[in-house]
């Protein structure tokens, strides 16, 4: 239980509703910032504006998956209020206050470091990334069906990267009857691709490996699908880029060549916000309970 814990949930999309629901069930006291247009009411949660919140009482701040932008603004789907998270605001919180976000950037890293507060990026955790790969794969399948005029079964699929998401994507498309090859750099990843019954290749050979690709799915978070790579693809190839913005594809050149290239980060929150929210809620509940136990132990 989280009885007595004071938490500020700042902005976010439908995923945050599952987090709010879970934490109120665990008896936490919540201040909801950026939710005034939300019709639903939660017992134990109070809608407040940013300047109404007493941050000196907050044990935890929960930000949306994107965290903030580079100016400190927090995404607020359920509000027209402009919410800016500043270093001065963080400095008003107790020293033990922990900030949770999906991902981070230079701005958020800077203000948390300057205020000497702990920042935890949930999407860096293996458990969150692996659970999230499930709705990501389903969303990728949906996009592949929507944007092609051929079946996945029998098509040539190229997956770039065998991380936590890439592995799930490659395995699922192979299970649907596609001919899947996977590009990676690490020798252990190439060995794992072979063990999975798929066709491995080193990413340095990518230009030569896309000549018969029907669908290319990128998970690498840096520019890898370059103009030179795109120039070697068939004109009907569909590129689905799952990497975080700005993706790993030269979208300008893809458009110039007439190849459809889709940037699709954050698919879990789009195709399955309830499930994606429950994933984050369950992990957060565990982390907060652990944090509360540690603090109670120090008090004793």
């Amino acid at each position: 239980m989280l009885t007595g814990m004071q938490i500020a949930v700042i902005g976010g999309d439908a995923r945050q509703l599952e987090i709010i629901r879970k934490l109120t069930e665990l008896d936490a006291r919540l201040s909801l910032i950026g939710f005034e247009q939300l019709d639903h009411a939660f017992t134990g949660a109070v809608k407040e504006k940013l300047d109404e919140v007493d941050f000196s009482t907050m044990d935890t701040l929960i930000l949306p998956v994107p965290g903030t932008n580079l100016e400190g603004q927090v995404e607020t789907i359920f509000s027209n209020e402009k919410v800016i998270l500043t270093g001065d605001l963080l400095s008003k919180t107790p020293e033990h206050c922990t900030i949770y976000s999906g991902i981070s950037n230079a701005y958020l890293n800077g203000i948390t470091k300057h205020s000497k507060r702990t920042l935890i990026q949930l999407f860096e955790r293996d458990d969150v990334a692996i659970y999230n790969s499930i709705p990501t794969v389903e969303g990728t399948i949906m996009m592949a069906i929507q944007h092609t005029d051929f079946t996945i079964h029998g098509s040539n699929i190229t997956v770039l990267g065998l991380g936590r998401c890439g592995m799930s994507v490659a395995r699922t498309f192979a299970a649907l009857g596609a001919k899947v090859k996977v590009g990676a750099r690490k020798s252990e990843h190439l060995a794992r691709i072979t063990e999975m019954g798929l066709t491995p290749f080193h990413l340095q050979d990518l230009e030569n490996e896309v000549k018969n690709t029907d669908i290319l799915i990128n998970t690498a978070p840096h520019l890898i699908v370059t103009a030179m790579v795109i120039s070697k693809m068939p004109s009907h190839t569909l590129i689905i880029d799952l990497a975080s913005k700005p993706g790993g594809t030269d979208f300008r050149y893809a458009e110039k060549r007439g190849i459809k290239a889709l940037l699709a980060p954050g698919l879990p929150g789009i195709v399955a916000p309830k499930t994606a929210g429950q994933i984050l809620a369950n992990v957060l509940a565990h982390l907060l309970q652990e944090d509360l136990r540690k603090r109670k132990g120090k008090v004793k």
Side-chain angles (χ1 to χ4, degrees):
M1 298 297 288
L2 298 174
T3 304
M5 181 170 268
Q6 186 70 51
I7 300 171
V9 180
I10 307 176
D13 54 25
R15 287 173 285 188
Q16 302 303 89
L17 304 185
E18 297 302 319
I19 292 171
I20 294 167
R21 184 174 291 110
K22 180 75 173 181
L23 299 185
T24 53
E25 287 174 357
L26 292 172
D27 201 28
R29 297 196 304 271
L30 269 59
S31 293
L32 308 182
I33 303 165
F35 289 89
E36 69 266 15
Q37 293 179 357
L38 179 66
D39 293 332
H40 189 84
F42 295 91
T43 303
V46 179
K47 298 174 188 176
E48 297 183 87
K49 291 188 177 296
L50 190 67
D51 56 6
E52 297 173 344
V53 178
D54 182 2
F55 282 93
S56 67
T57 66
M58 293 298 160
D59 300 304
T60 301
L61 307 185
I62 298 177
L63 301 177
V65 168
T68 71
N69 66 15
L70 291 174
E71 287 73 46
Q73 185 169 350
V74 179
E75 181 183 53
T76 54
I77 299 298
F78 301 103
S79 171
N80 292 324
E81 178 188 3
K82 191 172 183 179
V83 176
I84 305 291
L85 186 67
T86 65
D88 287 342
L89 189 151
L90 290 185
S91 66
K92 295 177 182 178
T93 63
E95 290 183 3
H96 66 261
C97 182
T98 302
I99 294 86
Y100 292 90
S101 178
I103 58 176
S104 187
N105 57 28
Y107 176 87
L108 187 54
N109 288 339
I111 63 171
T112 51
K113 183 177 180 180
H114 185 264
S115 60
K116 298 180 180 179
R117 299 297 182 264
T118 300
L119 172 65
I120 295 178
Q121 298 178 55
L122 295 173
F123 276 26
E124 286 192 346
R125 293 177 56 92
D126 283 337
D127 51 0
V128 172
I130 292 169
Y131 286 134
N132 260 329
S133 72
I134 299 169
T136 297
V137 170
E138 292 189 10
T140 307
I141 293 169
M142 176 190 73
M143 296 181 72
I145 292 171
Q146 286 178 336
H147 295 280
T148 59
D149 56 3
F150 50 83
T151 62
I152 292 173
H153 187 282
S155 60
N156 294 308
I157 308 289
T158 301
V159 178
L160 305 184
L162 196 77
R164 298 160 299 194
C165 180
M167 182 177 291
S168 297
V169 168
R171 181 189 295 117
T172 305
F173 274 82
L176 291 173
K179 291 172 279 189
V180 179
K181 57 183 176 182
V182 185
R185 297 189 192 278
K186 296 180 180 179
S187 59
E188 59 266 33
H189 285 179
L190 296 170
R192 177 60 68 190
I193 295 162
T194 303
E195 182 274 332
M196 292 169 67
L198 308 177
T199 302
F201 69 90
H202 198 283
L203 283 173
Q204 67 185 12
D205 301 321
L206 179 56
E207 290 179 25
N208 298 321
E209 294 290 341
V210 297
K211 293 177 181 178
N212 68 340
T213 297
D214 296 312
I215 302 174
L216 182 141
I217 302 168
N218 176 54
T219 67
H222 52 271
L223 183 60
I224 187 171
V225 188
T226 62
M228 186 61 70
V229 171
I230 295 170
S231 71
K232 303 295 177 63
M233 295 177 177
S235 59
H236 71 269
T237 301
L238 171 67
I239 300 172
I240 302 176
D241 198 324
L242 303 177
S244 55
K245 292 179 181 180
T249 300
D250 187 335
F251 291 97
R252 182 202 62 82
Y253 184 76
E255 182 179 7
K256 182 177 180 180
R257 222 212 94 224
I259 286 179
K260 185 174 289 186
L262 307 171
L263 179 59
L267 273 180
I270 297 170
V271 301
K274 185 177 182 69
T275 299
Q278 289 171 342
I279 290 168
L280 293 172
N282 289 335
V283 172
L284 268 170
H286 172 76
L287 293 173
L288 292 172
Q289 287 172 322
E290 186 65 26
D291 182 47
L292 188 59
R293 278 194 293 269
K294 287 180 180 178
R295 286 198 288 111
K296 284 183 176 179
K298 286 182 180 179
V299 171
K300 293 177 182 177

